[in-house]
Amino acid sequence: MTPIAAPASRPTPAVLVCLALVYVVWGSTYFGIKVAIGSLPPLGMLALRFLVAGAALYAFLRWRGVPAPTGREWGASALVGLLLLGGGTGLVTLAERDASSSVAALVLAVSPLFAALFARLWGERTSGREWLGIGVGLVGIALLNVGELRATPLAALLLILAPLCWTFGSQWSRHLPLPAGLMGSAAEMVAGGVLLALLSGVLGERWGTPSAASLGALAYLIVFGSLVAYSAYMYLVAHTRPALATSYAYVNPVVAVLLGVGLGGETLTGLGWAAVGVILTGVALVAWPRQG
């Protein structure tokens, strides 16, 4: 198992670049997913997204001489891929059939709060301020459910389960024997893509004739959402503390709401904007740098 380096107290330039990528690119992927599933099956689309991105990255790394993952590393990658890509991204994609992209992003803003909770399973301390942030964030989610989450009960449930799967998988990945560097991202995407393809087949998803918009959105998700942003996120998970690694929730909802309202014809009421403020306040309390 590769030792986990202690997170730096101050973000390095590499961490700052990865944060910027995850902040902006993943904020746009909620709208991209909404467009892609307009004419593509949700889980089948995700399977294709991650298999293409993962296979391309894997082939490039092997060409550069990076060792192939061991059997143990493939097993760990499958676990992480199942939780992050199947449970996290997969559940969001299914939920977006009956919920707007902006609301999906707002609900997932609770991810840093769950990350602080799951970090305790591996002995990381949660401060009083972080507990306060968790409480404030959950109040914001409750407000959002009252004012904005106009979705089927199943979609609402999926949007709550998704960040649970994502943050638990993220924290567990810090303690699993994953391949080093970008090979870890490649293996997780390949393994997750295979699992999503199997699940798509089990559920009987059917492929029709995709629209040009859906294909364009899929290409964007493959290149930027997967190859670029997912690799940047896994670097953050390994090199910084959980609250900062998941602080993409600061910006993702804002980007998603602007795209959803500006391009997708979605709306957000005054109560919804108030919920945004409460959620982001909670996230700020959790992700603010610790002293010492």
Side-chain angles (χ1 to χ4, degrees), residues 45 63 104 149 202 206 211 226 234 255 273 292:
M45 182 276 293
W63 175 70
L149 192 52
V202 169
R206 296 184 179 277
S211 66
S226 297
M234 293 313 297
V255 174
W273 285 111

Side-chain angles (χ1 to χ4, degrees), residues 7-20:
S9 57
R10 294 183 180 275
T12 64
V15 166
L16 292 176
V17 170
C18 288
L19 282 172

Side-chain angles (χ1 to χ4, degrees), residues 135-164:
V136 170
L138 293 178
V139 169
I141 292 298
L143 285 175
L144 187 66
N145 275 268
V146 170
E148 292 295 332
L149 192 52
R150 293 183 291 273
T152 64
L154 177 58
L157 177 63
L158 295 179
L159 287 176
I160 297 299
L161 291 177
L164 284 169

Side-chain angles (χ1 to χ4, degrees), residues 53-77:
L57 183 57
Y58 181 87
F60 173 75
L61 293 173
R62 292 290 291 137
W63 175 70
R64 292 292 302 271
V66 177
T70 65
R72 189 162 176 254
E73 289 172 338
W74 274 116
S77 298

Side-chain angles (χ1 to χ4, degrees), residues 49-196:
R49 167 187 171 181
F50 291 121
L51 281 172
V52 171
L57 183 57
Y58 181 87
F60 173 75
L61 293 173
R62 292 290 291 137
W63 175 70
R64 292 292 302 271
V66 177
T70 65
R72 189 162 176 254
E73 289 172 338
W74 274 116
S77 298
L79 284 174
V80 175
L82 176 63
L83 286 168
L84 268 66
L85 307 182
T89 309
L91 293 178
V92 170
T93 303
L94 290 174
E96 283 200 43
R97 295 177 300 179
D98 301 301
S100 69
S101 60
S102 55
V103 168
L106 291 171
V107 172
L108 294 181
V110 78
S111 293
L113 314 180
F114 289 145
L117 288 173
F118 287 134
R120 291 181 62 83
L121 295 177
W122 286 277
E124 295 193 34
R125 183 178 62 87
T126 302
S127 68
R129 188 188 64 224
E130 287 173 324
W131 281 117
L132 176 61
I134 290 169
V136 170
L138 293 178
V139 169
I141 292 298
L143 285 175
L144 187 66
N145 275 268
V146 170
E148 292 295 332
L149 192 52
R150 293 183 291 273
T152 64
L154 177 58
L157 177 63
L158 295 179
L159 287 176
I160 297 299
L161 291 177
L164 284 169
C165 292
W166 182 273
T167 51
F168 179 75
S170 296
Q171 298 315 305
W172 196 11
S173 73
R174 296 161 63 92
H175 306 273
L176 288 172
L178 294 170
L182 288 176
M183 183 57 80
S185 299
E188 289 156 24
M189 286 191 284
V190 169
V194 170
L195 293 170
L196 284 163

Side-chain angles (χ1 to χ4, degrees), residues 201-292:
V202 169
L203 294 179
E205 288 189 337
R206 296 184 179 277
W207 290 77
T209 302
S211 66
S214 291
L215 291 177
L218 176 59
Y220 177 82
L221 292 171
I222 289 172
V223 175
F224 293 98
S226 297
L227 284 173
V228 175
Y230 184 73
S231 297
Y233 175 70
M234 293 313 297
Y235 179 90
L236 291 173
V237 168
H239 292 86
T240 191
R241 59 195 176 87
L244 185 59
T246 55
S247 66
Y248 55 84
Y250 278 128
V251 180
N252 281 181
V254 177
V255 174
V257 168
L258 291 177
L259 288 175
V261 172
L263 300 179
E266 300 173 359
T267 59
L268 202 63
T269 66
L271 183 59
W273 285 111
V276 173
V278 173
I279 291 170
L280 296 185
T281 299
V283 172
L285 288 169
V286 170
W288 193 263
R290 296 171 181 166
Q291 299 298 318

